[in-house]
Every structure is written in structure tokens, then in C-alpha cells.
Amino acid sequence: MLISSHTAPSPVDGDTQKSASALPARLDRLPWSRFHWLVVIALGITWILDGLEVTIAGSVAGALRESPVLQFSASDVGLANSAYLVGAVAGALFFGWLTDRWGRKKLFSITLGLYLIATAGTAFTWDLPSFAVMRFLTGAGIGGEYSAINSAIQELIPARRRGWTDLVINGSFWVGAALASGASILLLDPRFIDPEIGWRLAFFGGAAIGLVILVLRRFLPESPRWLANHGRAQEAEHIITAIEKRIQAEGHRLPPVAASAQRSTPRQSTSMGDVFRTLFHTYPKRTFYCLILMAAQAFFYNAIFFTYAMMLTDFYSVPSAHVGYYILPFAAGNALGPLLLGHFFDSWGRRPMIILTYGLSGLLLAATGFAFAAGWLTATTQTLCWSMTFFFASAAASAAYLTAAESFPLEIRALAIAVFYALGTLLGAAAPWVFGMLIESGSRSQVLLGYLFGAALMILASIVTVFYGIAAERKPLEDVAKPLSWH
């Protein structure tokens, strides 16, 4: 069933405004249905694509270094991966700003289109500058997706399921990782295909998946919350009514909606002054907290995962064509973490689960680092240790995006996500390059220092959560952070 919205603003009378104030409660009362699965699949593909891109970049690192055309060094690979992360930062900020102004639906089509063009263009690169530029543009598309998609997910999913859904969708990154690692086993095996052609074909896989999802997203509506806030209450009413009728046609009964005394003043845009006042005057503790969560998980993940293949090839002499075999169990641990732990974020609560997942991630990485430095691990046991560590780290990283998305008002939600993602990732962006140099040194003790720094950041985030964690579980978004337009 196609649910669409029009573009012309609608006048807002008293009855329409009253109806608009009830929209959040109407969305939160909806039982889980095929509509919500459509949201999960069509929007969750963003993380699958990101996992695909990051894993391909890691899996083909050996092929890029052995390529007769590119002839990259380990630091060149790290630099190109950092270009991807810097692009993601730029894309998140620019497209996040546009998402709050133009709407969620329009932007998650634009950003996916940019990704399709850039990842396909990566296959035709011929040197380090051209490869880095395409990786930058690919990252910009994915970074923009984070803002638009997280906003839409938060505003369309019922409050009682918001935590689990958000974590599982963010954790789907590792579905893409598994797909990429499986494809790399075939595409980088010289018995089947020339690796110089194989790594180029690998980047086309993401473009093919993205093209299918671009069509699927046509069936998703604009966020009714965003429409009502921008003076388009009649369009919002049309969309929520269509969703309700669709769910009732599936046999579900809808509970009554409690009357709302809230009124709002529609706005077309929010000034940067309002953004800064909200972040640094109204919610300064939340701003500090979200920055810590994002920075810790960004460095933690980027440091290890972008250099995963080089660790295996340089320290354990794993052939580059076999790296995919080791990424599969690692991806499985990461995917299972949010899936199995996610519902506890809605039942036990955000604060205790963030303390648990961040703290255990840091301790396990430190223990793995010491075992690696002592030479106690093989390629297999190293992978098993990382899989256990990232079972918790994956849920922790997903919780960072959940926290940033639900902690701020609707009017600045997308930009807030972008700001925290950008600031956190700026720290993480240097990690692949730094770890590339540490690995290139051939010194296990040098690599250990990088691991310990990442572990310390995760433990710090766990401690900060004790004091600044937010109990947002099962609460409507408007109760967690009142919209700026409400009065």
C-alpha cells in the first residue's frame, strides 16, 4: 500500500491543530504491523550498506596493496578509509541540516542516490587521490543517511518498541558486513577471478542493493510529526489515518487516544541560534553525554574494524583471499549483540544497559590486547576474542545513536544526530590511519597501546552514564524532549 504526502503547506485551523497535537499518541498506540516491518526493512538497509562498504574496504585491503595499478601501502589504505569517515562527517552535517528543513523522506532519497553513484565510481578509480575522493563521497551519502533515517525511525516506531527496534536496525550493519565478507571470499580468490577485477566488482554490490531499496522507499510516508510541526497538519492527518486503516485491515484493534492539551506554533525552519541554545543552554548535560558515547564507540570500532584485515595478514600471515572467513564469525557476534540484548534497553532501561555494554566492551578489548601483545593468540582465537568483545560493543554503539536521536526536540533531531555523529567520528576518523601505521611498525606493543586507548574510552563512557544517563525507555519522544514549537 502506497502512503504518500503532498508538498503544498496546508492552513491550520483550531480543529486541525487539535488533531495534530494527538498525532504522537496515535503513532505510539499502534500495534506492530506490516507497516512497521516496511519501515525497518526500507530504512534499516542504510546500516547494511554501511556495513557492506566498511567491510569491503577492510576485506580488499590486501588486494589494494597487491594491486598492480594502485599499489597501496598500509598507511595509504588507512588514509583512504579515513577519507570515507571524513566524508561521512561532512555528509551528516550538511544533509542533517537539510533533513530538519526539507523533511525525512526527501533526504533519505537524495543521500541514497549519492551513495549509489559514489560507490559505483569507486570501481573505476586508478590511483590514491581518485580512490580517496570516491570514498569521501560514498561516506557523505552514508553519513547523510544516518541523520535522515534515525530521525524517521524514531518518529514512526511506537515508544514501547523504540529501543529494541533502533538497536536491531543499527546492528544490521553486520548483515552487510557478513554479505561483504562472503562476497570477498569469492571475488578475491584468484582461482575464480583476477583480484584486480574482483575488488572493483565488490563495490558494485552495494550499488545494486541500494538501487532496489531506492524503489522500496517510495512506499514510505513522510514523518507525520515533522509535517505537523511544519504547518502541514492536514497532510499529517491523511498519512496517520491511512496507516491506521491499513493496520485495522490486518485485523488489529486500536486502543483509544487520550486527549492532549498541547498546542504548537508551526515553523518552517529552526534557526541555528535555537539549535545552539537547545544544545548548550537547555540540554548541556545531554550534549556532553551524547558526545562521550559517540566518540568512544567511533574510535573503538574504526580503530579495530578498518584494520582487521591488515592485522590478520601482517601478524598471522592470513592470505588476503581468506580474510572473509574470519570476518564472518566477527560479524555474527556483532549482529547478535543488539538482537539479543536490545529488548533489555526497553525493559531494564537505557542507563543500566549502556553502563553494562560499554563497560564490558572496554574490559574485554583490554584483555584481548594484552593476550595479543603476549603472543598467546592465533588468527582463530583472536577472531573469537573480538567476536565476544563486539557482541557487547555492537549493542553499545547502537545505543549511542538511539540516545542522540531521542534526547533532543523534533525540530533539531536530525541535526543533533549529525552533530554528535560528526564530532564523535572526527575522533574515530584518525583511528584507521593511526592503527595502519602501528600495524606497519610490526610491533605488537605499539598496537596494544592503541587497543588500550580505545578500551579506556569505552570504560569512561560507562562511568559517565552513571551520572548523565537518560531514562527514556517506553516514553513518547515528546516526553523525553518537548518540541520547541509546543506551548
Side-chain angles (χ1 to χ4, degrees), residues 209-226:
I209 295 174
L211 190 60
V212 174
I213 298 303
L214 190 62
V215 176
L216 185 59
R217 285 184 180 176
R218 295 176 56 248
F219 296 92
L220 288 177
E222 178 57 88
S223 164
R225 283 176 158 108
W226 183 88

Side-chain angles (χ1 to χ4, degrees), residues 299 303 365-366 369-370 372-373 434-435 438 443-456:
F299 187 93
L365 180 64
F370 281 116
F372 164 76
V434 171
F435 266 74
L438 293 177
S443 169
R444 289 175 179 256
S445 59
Q446 292 282 329
V447 176
L448 172 63
L449 292 177
Y451 284 155
L452 292 179
F453 182 72

Side-chain angles (χ1 to χ4, degrees), residues 277-323:
R277 275 190 295 273
T278 302
L279 292 176
F280 300 107
H281 178 72
T282 308
Y283 297 113
K285 292 181 180 178
R286 294 186 182 188
T287 299
F288 169 75
Y289 177 52
C290 290
L291 177 59
I292 292 294
L293 291 184
M294 283 290 194
Q297 66 85 25
F299 187 93
F300 189 87
Y301 258 96
N302 295 338
I304 294 165
F305 193 59
F306 273 107
T307 57
Y308 191 100
M310 288 190 290
M311 280 286 295
L312 294 173
T313 56
D314 288 25
F315 286 98
Y316 297 108
S317 301
V318 174
S320 58
H322 295 171
V323 167

Side-chain angles (χ1 to χ4, degrees), residues 318-388:
V318 174
S320 58
H322 295 171
V323 167
Y325 290 110
Y326 294 88
I327 292 179
L328 283 173
F330 181 74
N334 277 274
L336 288 173
L339 183 64
L340 299 180
L341 300 177
H343 70 279
F344 292 113
F345 285 80
D346 287 323
S347 56
W348 289 2
R350 308 288 199 256
R351 183 185 289 113
M353 286 305 297
I354 291 176
I355 292 171
L356 175 69
T357 53
Y358 270 82
L360 281 178
S361 299
L363 292 174
L364 288 171
L365 180 64
T368 301
F370 281 116
F372 164 76
W376 297 340
L377 302 177
T378 64
T380 300
T381 54
Q382 175 84 63
T383 298
L384 291 175
C385 288
W386 274 334
S387 298
M388 183 183 301

